[in-house]
Amino acid sequence: MSQAVALELRGITKRFPGVVANEDIHMVIEKGEIRAIMGENGAGKSTLCNMITGLLSPTEGELLFEGRKREFHHPKDALAAGIRMVYQERNLIEYLTGAQSICLGLEDRKGRFFVDEKRMLERAVAICQEIGADVPLNVPVEYLSVAQQQMIEIIRAVAHDPRLLILDEPTASLGSAEVKILFSVMRKLKEKGVAIVIITHKIDEVFEIADTITILRNGRLVDTVKNGDIDRMDAVRMMLGRDVSSQFPEVVNTAKKEKALEVRNLTDVGKRVSHINLNVCQGEVVGLYGLLGSGRTEILESIYGLRGILEGEVFLHGEICPPGKRSGDMIKKGVFLIPEDRRHLSIFREFFTIRENLSIGYLDQISGFLGMISRKKERKLFRDITSREELRVKYARENQDIEELSGGNQQKLVLGRWIYRKNLELLLLDEPTHGIDVGVKYDIYVLIRKMAARGKGILVVSSELPELTGICDRLYIIKDGQIKGELSRREFENEKILEMVL
């Protein structure tokens, strides 16, 4: 094998009970190469990378790293070999500072028993300066934003001088400035001979940064091509195994005069957002667009009652909502929030099956005498919702662990928890397609427009401007915690919108 080859996979197969996650995968990645791996949710991308990093062992096949056959039985084996992975779901210790997190495993010591905190901070500062990253280093990471936590994860991986770096949806939580920094770091590592694998659903980013593209579908390798040999629509076709005529469904104006939501002069307790005035009519999809840190999420949380309100009023169907912690009241009134951080804020990862993760939104429908849950009703409800054509959740069994599902199917399950509630009036969506492939994204866009057609009000936050202009009836532009403009659909122009947020 060539000395230039970093990783070679020969016939890698992984079987789980009743499921073949990867089948006969052959792949060669060279040193100094940026390889993109693309595919729908459930295509086998994460399973493949988990075998490379020692989280899983192949059922069949061989893995060679830098010319040697390897068997990684534990992640520490892959780490020792020089393989590091930044996972889509963050893996930080909340009470450690940014500097401590970056230097975890590389601690400088004073004598035999004490950690040299000053030296660790200096080292973390030097790494950040070298790659051009600007993140707080002396604050516990639990107080950092999602984007800042993601950058800490990436910086930590770079600090360990990897020879193979795997990035799973690294830009899902990053703004455009952070993405530029990441791509700059990737190019610098490439020049040093580091092999890089990036898993992402953002097709434009693949064509900007990757040297070669590997496409998986249903656990099998479809093809590996050089960047430039195919276009974006070719890539989508190969991923889905079918043609997609449009990225977004047709938008038909179904907005009514009645307002589902009206916000007047809202300022939150922390003053992250101030003097917010907006409304959402029944049957209307309204978007909130702004740069990272502009206050988009804070607006949703203030409306829902997760943030205290310093001043201002929130009205639902013309009726004022009392101030304070009112999320419970919102649920009773048919208002539901789906947060951006699916893993930590939307799903129940421990002790709850996928059936229970969905049915918890319908306890009043499946509970009987003394609040006892009817398992028969619960099973019927689960099968009815997950089998609906507009949702189409893919799963192996009803008592499956939710973390065994792909990100897209997890998100569909979370949506299914609320969207068929009889009292649903308003849905607040924060990055609803975060970390989801193009096929499932389209399904969710269709679902959003169908809910609008049924007279529901929908308020959507997204970092992807094409997503908002593709599905929304109106847009509010957010900058520095304030609304800088409002645009109707006929006024959507990317240049105008970007000028307003910059």
Side-chain angles (χ1 to χ4, degrees):
M1 187 172 65
S2 168
Q3 294 295 315
V5 173
L7 176 72
E8 182 176 1
L9 305 180
R10 297 177 179 174
I12 292 292
T13 297
K14 181 62 182 179
R15 295 189 181 92
F16 298 101
V19 178
V20 180
N22 290 120
E23 185 173 2
D24 195 30
I25 302 294
H26 293 264
M27 191 183 303
V28 175
I29 300 174
E30 296 185 354
K31 297 175 182 178
E33 176 188 352
I34 299 177
R35 171 71 61 90
I37 298 181
M38 302 180 67
E40 287 191 275
N41 287 111
K45 307 182 298 295
S46 295
T47 301
L48 185 65
C49 290
N50 286 340
M51 287 188 281
I52 295 171
T53 57
L55 275 172
L56 297 172
S57 297
T59 307
E60 299 172 11
E62 296 180 338
L63 183 152
L64 289 82
F65 184 63
E66 296 184 333
R68 291 174 52 198
K69 182 179 177 181
R70 304 290 186 111
E71 292 184 4
F72 299 137
H73 300 291
H74 191 277
K76 67 180 181 182
D77 301 329
L79 290 171
I83 300 174
R84 295 201 70 88
M85 181 168 176
V86 177
Y87 294 89
Q88 180 179 355
E89 309 296 349
R90 289 169 298 285
N91 291 284
L92 296 171
I93 300 172
E94 294 181 345
Y95 57 81
L96 294 184
T97 66
Q100 291 168 337
S101 300
I102 291 168
C103 297
L104 191 64
L106 301 171
E107 294 87 354
D108 296 284
R109 297 194 174 274
K110 290 181 178 179
R112 294 178 59 187
F113 304 106
F114 299 99
V115 173
D116 191 337
E117 297 284 354
K118 181 180 177 182
R119 176 70 188 113
M120 285 169 56
L121 180 59
E122 290 173 350
R123 180 188 292 200
V125 168
I127 295 170
C128 289
Q129 289 177 341
E130 181 183 354
I131 68 175
D134 181 18
V135 291
L137 296 174
N138 56 359
V139 177
V141 294
E142 64 180 316
Y143 298 116
L144 303 185
S145 68
V146 172
Q148 289 170 330
Q149 291 178 6
Q150 184 72 358
M151 284 304 298
I152 292 289
E153 293 258 34
I154 293 166
I155 297 164
R156 179 173 67 180
V158 172
H160 282 76
D161 293 324
R163 297 200 290 279
L164 170 64
L165 177 61
I166 303 174
L167 302 168
D168 190 359
E169 296 291 348
T171 67
S173 303
L174 302 183
S176 56
E178 290 87 357
V179 172
K180 288 180 180 179
I181 293 171
L182 172 61
F183 284 2
S184 174
V185 171
M186 291 171 66
R187 293 184 179 107
K188 288 177 183 178
L189 293 175
K190 172 183 172 175
E191 291 174 0
K192 294 179 180 179
V194 177
I196 301 172
V197 173
I198 180 170
I199 300 171
T200 180
H201 295 305
K202 297 184 178 181
I203 297 177
D204 288 343
E205 292 180 356
V206 168
F207 282 87
E208 179 180 348
I209 193 64
D211 299 310
T212 47
I213 303 167
T214 291
I215 296 177
L216 302 180
R217 186 170 71 243
N218 297 328
R220 296 188 176 193
L221 186 138
V222 176
D223 203 355
T224 295
V225 295
K226 290 184 178 179
N227 191 352
D229 288 352
I230 61 172
D231 62 20
R232 288 155 178 75
M233 290 310 298
D234 290 331
V236 171
R237 250 190 314 271
M238 292 166 73
M239 281 193 293
L240 303 183
R242 65 181 189 274
D243 285 328
V244 178
S245 57
S246 175
Q247 190 176 354
F248 303 100
E250 182 184 2
V251 173
V252 177
N253 187 355
T254 57
K256 302 177 182 179
K257 292 182 179 180
E258 297 84 357
K259 293 177 182 177
L261 169 73
E262 185 175 8
V263 178
R264 298 179 186 171
N265 202 37
L266 184 148
T267 298
D268 74 322
V269 170
K271 295 187 177 180
R272 296 291 301 276
V273 295
S274 60
H275 307 297
I276 300 298
N277 291 277
L278 60 82
N279 64 80
V280 180
C281 293
Q282 295 178 30
E284 185 180 34
V285 181
V286 176
L288 297 181
Y289 182 71
L291 300 179
L292 201 67
S294 62
R296 305 164 308 180
T297 294
E298 288 80 1
I299 291 174
L300 292 191
E301 291 178 346
S302 298
I303 292 171
Y304 202 63
L306 297 178
R307 285 178 171 269
I309 293 178
L310 185 65
E311 61 178 298
E313 298 167 317
V314 176
F315 294 83
L316 293 173
H317 294 288
E319 182 180 335
I320 192 168
C321 296
K325 300 292 184 181
R326 58 178 182 273
S327 54
D329 293 332
M330 286 295 197
I331 291 174
K332 292 177 183 177
K333 292 177 182 293
V335 182
F336 304 102
L337 168 68
I338 296 182
E340 173 188 3
D341 191 343
R342 181 171 55 247
R343 187 168 189 258
H344 294 97
L345 299 178
S346 285
I347 64 175
F348 297 90
R349 293 179 288 150
E350 297 179 359
F351 310 119
F352 275 60
T353 65
I354 59 171
R355 184 180 66 236
E356 291 162 338
N357 261 280
L358 184 142
S359 66
I360 196 170
Y362 302 88
L363 291 180
D364 56 336
Q365 297 181 35
I366 62 174
S367 299
F369 182 66
L370 297 178
M372 297 294 290
I373 294 174
S374 167
R375 294 302 177 188
K376 181 179 179 181
K377 288 182 179 179
E378 183 186 42
R379 286 191 292 270
K380 183 179 184 303
L381 177 109
F382 176 83
R383 292 167 186 170
D384 174 52
I385 290 177
T386 56
S387 63
R388 296 192 185 193
E389 179 64 22
E390 57 193 12
L391 207 61
R392 296 182 298 177
V393 179
K394 296 179 182 178
Y395 63 94
R397 57 193 184 281
E398 292 180 14
N399 63 347
Q400 195 172 356
D401 186 326
I402 193 167
E403 291 202 283
E404 294 177 9
L405 299 186
S406 66
N409 283 302
Q410 287 181 16
Q411 188 71 343
K412 283 184 176 182
L413 207 66
V414 172
L415 283 164
R417 180 189 295 164
W418 303 120
I419 62 175
Y420 299 111
R421 291 274 311 178
K422 295 177 182 178
N423 69 331
L424 171 63
E425 295 292 340
L426 177 68
L427 194 60
L428 309 177
L429 301 173
D430 194 352
E431 301 285 3
T433 62
H434 171 85
I436 292 174
D437 70 72
V438 64
V440 179
K441 277 186 177 183
Y442 186 82
D443 291 342
I444 291 177
Y445 299 152
V446 170
L447 195 56
I448 289 172
R449 290 309 315 184
K450 281 187 175 181
M451 286 191 291
R454 294 169 188 159
K456 312 305 178 185
I458 300 165
L459 185 59
V460 188
V461 165
S462 177
S463 300
E464 299 184 36
L465 181 56
E467 179 169 273
L468 293 179
T469 57
I471 64 171
C472 290
D473 298 294
R474 281 189 298 127
L475 277 182
Y476 287 102
I477 311 304
I478 315 298
K479 181 180 179 181
D480 299 329
Q482 296 184 325
I483 292 178
K484 294 299 181 182
E486 176 187 352
L487 300 174
S488 65
R489 185 166 183 82
R490 66 177 179 272
E491 297 174 306
F492 290 175
E493 294 178 10
N494 287 356
E495 294 78 6
K496 180 191 294 187
I497 295 169
L498 291 174
E499 185 177 330
M500 295 170 74
V501 299
L502 295 175

